[in-house]
């Protein structure tokens, strides 16, 4: 059981990565970005395609940068044109999610593929437990990225402007900032974080072009359980979700993700302010 | 002292055909009943409200081609009631004003000396300060940018006479140091001229 709990925490690290970008995006722009999961999977497939030609460490550095550019352009030339009523960017992102999924299927076929390396099956012995190296690294990366994002938001000029934009996008112009650029930058960061999560997923297992929807669901649960834009609460929520999934897979394998969904329902009933306002 | 602001034939909201010229060190009080367009005029000059004008110049630059962010960088600051970011701390709100920090006499030290509360409450979320402190914060934050033109929208509404008097004194000091000011609402006796928007 100890090993199940440990694996649940490690799974939570992966969930946290999926939730981080979505929570950031919703926290600043109040837009439910429905293509988040598919863009994460696109990041995984981009890494797969590039890893045939480039060393893995180059791929791991390059794909998030490309994803940042994609997110930046997406906000600047697509989503920013329909901002205002939150429904419209949400519908555009839904359309985008379908397009990304179809493109991935056309380009890579419907089969499952994984980003296999020597490290994929490596295990680390820790206090009598045998834990996978990739899941451990994923949890470490999640902690690092949450800390970095928090530091950016609370201890940098850019972060102050991002938080001010989240509160009142029109008023930041009075301080020389361009809210449109801020939104593009945040969306770039959000999609880059999605790509990192997608790569982490492909490193520990296999992905198909259709995996985005399930990943979006995980990301939403993480973001909602902690409260959109509240990073450390999101992180705790992700660990809780990972623990529940790991324990329920072991005790009640037929139930799938049911108990995770029940956690979400319980949180919404007990603490509705944690839900998006 | 040179001309800071020149407006000819401005239309914004309820205002039509407004002409206005302001020189450095001059303080203009906008008067007239509620809804006559005092706030709209200030927001229009800052670039936050849509305006049409035959000419609109700020220190010889054509304002009509500049958006709100460019106007702020050029040296126009707006402080308005309710303009603080409630989710940021007091210090973070001030830091936003200091982003532009054009050369000038206003440093964080001088703002803190003027409004000591802004220093002691630095780490408090701006949602949890009093109305008077919030007005001081909007004014102090605007000053940190060292603007050449300060637009002040109703920052003494609802304040005790003591605090309101303190803020009016500050406005006098600013004008005497060469800043151009436009203030929505009547001012007590001082060196300023008034423009009644109802008659304009």
């Amino acid at each position: 059981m100890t090993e199940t709990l440990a694996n649940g925490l490690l799974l939570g690290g992966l969930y946290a990565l999926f939730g981080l970008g979505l929570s950031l995006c919703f926290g600043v722009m109040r837009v439910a970005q429905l293509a988040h999961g598919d863009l994460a999977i696109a990041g995984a497939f981009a890494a797969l395609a590039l890893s045939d030609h480039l060393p893995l460490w180059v791929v791991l550095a390059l794909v998030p940068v490309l994803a940042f550019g994609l997110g930046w352009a997406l906000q600047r030339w697509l989503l920013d044109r329909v901002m205002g009523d939150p429904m419209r960017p949400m519908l555009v992102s839904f359309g985008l999610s379908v397009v990304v999924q179809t493109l991935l299927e056309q380009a890579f076929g419907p089969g499952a593929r994984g980003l296999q390396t020597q490290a994929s099956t490596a295990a680390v012995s820790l206090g009598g437990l045998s834990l996978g190296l990739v899941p451990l690294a994923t949890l470490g990366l999640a902690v690092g990225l949450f800390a970095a994002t928090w530091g950016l938001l609370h201890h940098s000029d850019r972060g102050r402007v991002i938080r001010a934009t989240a509160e009142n996008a029109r008023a930041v112009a009075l301080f020389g900032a361009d809210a449109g650029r801020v939104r593009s930058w945040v969306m770039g960061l959000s999609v880059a974080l999605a790509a990192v999560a997608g790569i982490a997923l492909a490193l520990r297992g296999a992905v198909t072009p259709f995996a985005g929807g399930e990943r979006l669901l995980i990301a939403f649960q993480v973001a909602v359980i902690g409260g959109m834009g509240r990073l450390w609460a999101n992180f705790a929520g992700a660990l809780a979700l990972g623990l529940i999934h790991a324990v329920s897979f072991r005790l009640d394998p037929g139930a799938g993700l049911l108990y995770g969904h029940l956690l979400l329902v319980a949180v919404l009933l007990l603490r509705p302010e944690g839900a998006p306002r | 002292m040179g001309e800071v602001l020149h407006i000819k034939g401005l239309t914004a909201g309820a205002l039509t055909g407004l002409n206005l010229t302001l020189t450095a060190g001059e303080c203009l009080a906008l008067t007239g009943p509620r809804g006559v367009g005092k706030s709209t005029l200030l927001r229009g000059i800052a670039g936050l409200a849509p305006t049409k004008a035959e000419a609109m110049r700020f220190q010889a630059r054509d304002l009509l081609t500049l958006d709100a962010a460019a106007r702020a960088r050029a040296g126009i600051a707006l402080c308005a009631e309710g303009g603080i970011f409630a989710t940021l701390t007091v210090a973070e709100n001030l830091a936003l004003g200091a982003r532009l920090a054009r050369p000038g006499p206003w440093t964080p030290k001088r703002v803190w000396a003027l409004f000591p509360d802004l220093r002691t409450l630095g780490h408090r979320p701006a949602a949890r300060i009093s109305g008077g402190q919030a007005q001081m914060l909007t004014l102090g934050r605007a000053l940190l940018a060292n603007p050449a033109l300060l637009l002040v929208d109703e920052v003494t509404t609802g304040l005790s006479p003591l605090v309101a008097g303190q803020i009016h004194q500050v406005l006098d000091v600013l004008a005497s140091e060469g800043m151009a000011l436009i203030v929505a609402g009547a001012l007590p006796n001082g060196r300023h001229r008034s423009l009644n928007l109802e008659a304009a």
Side-chain angles (χ1 to χ4, degrees), chain A:
Chain A
M1 195 64 191
T2 320
E3 193 159 312
T4 304
L5 292 177
N7 283 325
L9 285 178
L10 297 183
L11 187 60
L14 180 68
Y15 291 175
L17 278 184
F18 275 96
L20 177 58
L22 190 72
S23 177
L24 184 69
C25 172
F26 188 88
V28 176
M29 281 162 305
R30 305 280 149 202
V31 169
Q33 212 278 87
L34 299 180
H36 191 78
D38 295 288
L39 288 168
I41 301 302
F45 274 99
L48 274 162
L50 288 171
S51 66
D52 291 342
H53 312 285
L54 296 168
L56 188 65
W57 67 270
V58 177
V59 173
L60 296 184
L62 184 62
V63 170
V65 174
L66 295 175
F68 182 96
L70 176 69
W72 196 94
L74 184 68
Q75 183 69 33
R76 182 121 186 108
W77 288 304
L78 194 61
L79 294 174
D80 238 27
R81 299 187 172 199
V82 294
M83 293 295 282
D85 170 9
M87 197 64 181
R88 292 191 296 169
M90 193 175 92
L91 288 175
V92 169
S93 73
F94 177 69
L96 182 73
S97 122
V98 176
V99 170
V100 170
Q101 197 179 100
T102 310
L103 285 177
L104 288 177
E105 193 196 352
Q106 290 298 317
F108 298 98
R113 293 175 63 183
L115 199 56
Q116 301 303 327
T117 69
Q118 299 99 325
S120 295
T121 50
V124 178
S125 226
L126 211 70
L129 296 173
S130 174
L131 302 171
L133 180 63
V134 169
L136 265 176
T138 303
L139 179 63
L141 185 65
V143 173
L145 287 177
F146 268 75
T149 306
W150 188 86
L152 168 81
L153 288 178
H154 291 272
H155 294 285
S156 75
D157 173 62
R158 190 182 290 270
R160 271 194 297 275
V161 173
I162 289 173
R163 283 160 55 222
T165 305
E167 187 178 332
N168 185 347
R170 285 176 66 77
V172 292
L174 295 174
F175 309 99
D178 180 334
R181 277 168 193 271
V182 172
R183 284 193 294 267
S184 297
W185 203 87
V186 169
M187 187 57 88
L189 197 56
S190 170
V191 175
L193 289 167
V196 169
I199 293 172
L201 179 69
L203 275 171
R204 69 193 281 160
V207 289
T208 75
F210 315 109
E214 187 194 331
R215 292 296 122 185
L216 176 69
L217 190 61
I218 298 281
F220 256 108
Q221 292 189 344
V222 167
V224 171
I225 287 171
M228 291 275 191
R230 295 163 59 190
L231 294 185
W232 291 112
N234 292 148
F235 191 79
L239 295 187
L241 197 62
L243 279 174
I244 286 189
H245 283 172
V247 171
S248 69
F249 281 144
R250 186 178 147 135
L251 300 182
D252 187 4
L257 301 178
L258 172 69
Y259 294 97
H261 301 336
L262 290 178
L263 172 68
L264 177 70
V265 172
V267 167
L268 288 177
L269 284 174
L270 296 173
R271 211 176 54 84
E273 71 274 14
R277 283 169 284 263

Side-chain angles (χ1 to χ4, degrees), chain B residues 56-139:
Chain B
M56 204 163 162
R57 280 199 312 273
F58 169 69
Q59 293 180 328
R61 298 177 71 169
D62 182 6
L63 274 192
L64 294 172
T65 62
L66 300 182
D67 65 9
R71 292 182 195 192
R73 285 192 291 266
I76 298 178
L78 170 70
C79 55
E81 191 189 3
I84 57 168
F85 294 99
T87 55
L88 273 58
T89 65
V90 169
E92 286 173 332
N93 269 279
L94 288 173
L96 282 179
R99 290 187 90 226
L100 297 169
R102 295 149 33 85
W106 288 97
T107 60
K109 271 189 184 152
R110 192 168 174 210
V111 168
W112 285 333
L114 186 63
F115 302 125
D117 282 1
L118 297 185
R119 176 171 225 170
T120 51
L121 298 174
H123 292 291
R124 189 176 287 193
R128 290 179 29 231
I129 59 177
S130 73
Q133 288 159 346
Q135 308 287 47
M136 292 175 196
L137 178 54
T138 55
L139 188 55

